[in-house]
Amino acid sequence: MSSVQKQDIRVHIRWMIRRDMPEVLAIETRNFEFPWSEEDFINCLRQRNCIGMVAEHDERVVGFMIYELNKTRIRVLNFAVADRYQRRGVGSQMIAKLISKLSAQRRSRITLEVRETNLPAQLFFRAMGFRAVSVLRDYYADTPEDAYVMQYRYRPESQEASLPVNRITRKAG
């Protein structure tokens, strides 16, 4: 990286569509030693609880995330930012979007797995408030590598925490 500080950019985060796939695959291939194939993406996104989103800047896809919605948590399955846009706030904006989906009444945490050798990702997620909570031994099919399970827990705003929660509101949410 040059001595010039990279400028943060604003991105638009939207649902992933089929037309995004070439750019998503290019980012995936550049970022991972063992990338997902187009078929992997399609099979995942066909599942009812699996969601794909992209970060767009100047009408180009510069990052993406695939996650699944579970009853009490959001599980990030895949997350990447294009090389040229890393360390410019794109990943932080995508994580902020996920965090905004959390609540005390419904999904209260985000989980993900990170390869033990992927120190940049570990440091990024730690800076975003995630903590390593366990180790999955020999987790990956392509290597004997372990994975760290990292988790972000929802922390209600002080004003929200003081509001009474009644049973009807909790069940309706």
Side-chain angles (χ1 to χ4, degrees):
M1 190 166 101
S2 69
S3 61
V4 177
Q5 182 66 29
K6 291 184 180 179
Q7 188 71 28
D8 278 5
I9 60 167
R10 298 288 310 150
V11 293
H12 172 66
I13 299 171
R14 61 170 175 77
W15 303 112
M16 184 183 293
I17 57 176
R18 180 81 176 166
R19 187 174 56 230
D20 298 325
M21 197 53 60
E23 289 175 291
V24 167
L25 287 169
I27 294 168
E28 174 77 3
T29 303
R30 281 198 178 91
N31 275 280
F32 298 108
E33 184 179 356
F34 303 100
W36 282 21
S37 66
E38 183 171 5
E39 185 178 341
D40 293 331
F41 278 98
I42 291 168
N43 288 338
C44 181
L45 293 169
R46 281 189 178 145
Q47 296 176 33
R48 188 173 56 89
N49 64 335
C50 192
I51 296 171
M53 299 194 87
V54 295
E56 199 174 46
H57 179 71
D58 288 339
E59 298 182 25
R60 295 198 55 193
V61 173
V62 298
F64 69 88
M65 59 185 168
I66 308 290
Y67 60 92
E68 70 183 5
L69 298 173
N70 295 302
K71 187 171 183 160
T72 61
R73 69 184 170 117
I74 295 171
R75 180 174 173 229
V76 178
L77 303 173
N78 200 336
F79 186 98
V81 174
D83 295 358
R84 291 183 46 209
Y85 295 90
Q86 291 177 1
R87 294 171 189 78
R88 297 184 69 188
V90 175
S92 300
Q93 290 171 70
M94 291 193 304
I95 289 297
K97 181 78 165 180
L98 281 183
I99 290 171
S100 75
K101 297 178 180 298
L102 299 178
S103 72
Q105 290 78 30
R106 186 96 168 130
R107 294 177 188 94
S108 61
R109 60 197 163 109
I110 301 169
T111 62
L112 52 88
E113 297 85 28
V114 178
R115 287 180 185 268
E116 66 180 324
T117 56
N118 192 347
L119 185 60
Q122 293 168 34
L123 294 173
F124 167 75
F125 287 113
R126 183 164 171 76
M128 294 301 300
F130 285 74
R131 298 294 174 253
V133 294
S134 65
V135 176
L136 301 173
R137 302 282 177 212
D138 296 326
Y139 181 69
Y140 298 98
D142 48 30
T143 68
E145 201 171 355
D146 296 341
Y148 295 120
V149 177
M150 298 188 79
Q151 177 176 266
Y152 178 93
R153 284 201 165 277
Y154 174 74
R155 293 170 200 83
E157 300 295 324
S158 57
Q159 183 182 21
E160 183 183 336
S162 64
L163 295 174
V165 176
N166 63 46
R167 290 180 20 194
I168 294 171
T169 302
R170 194 175 6 196
K171 288 183 179 180

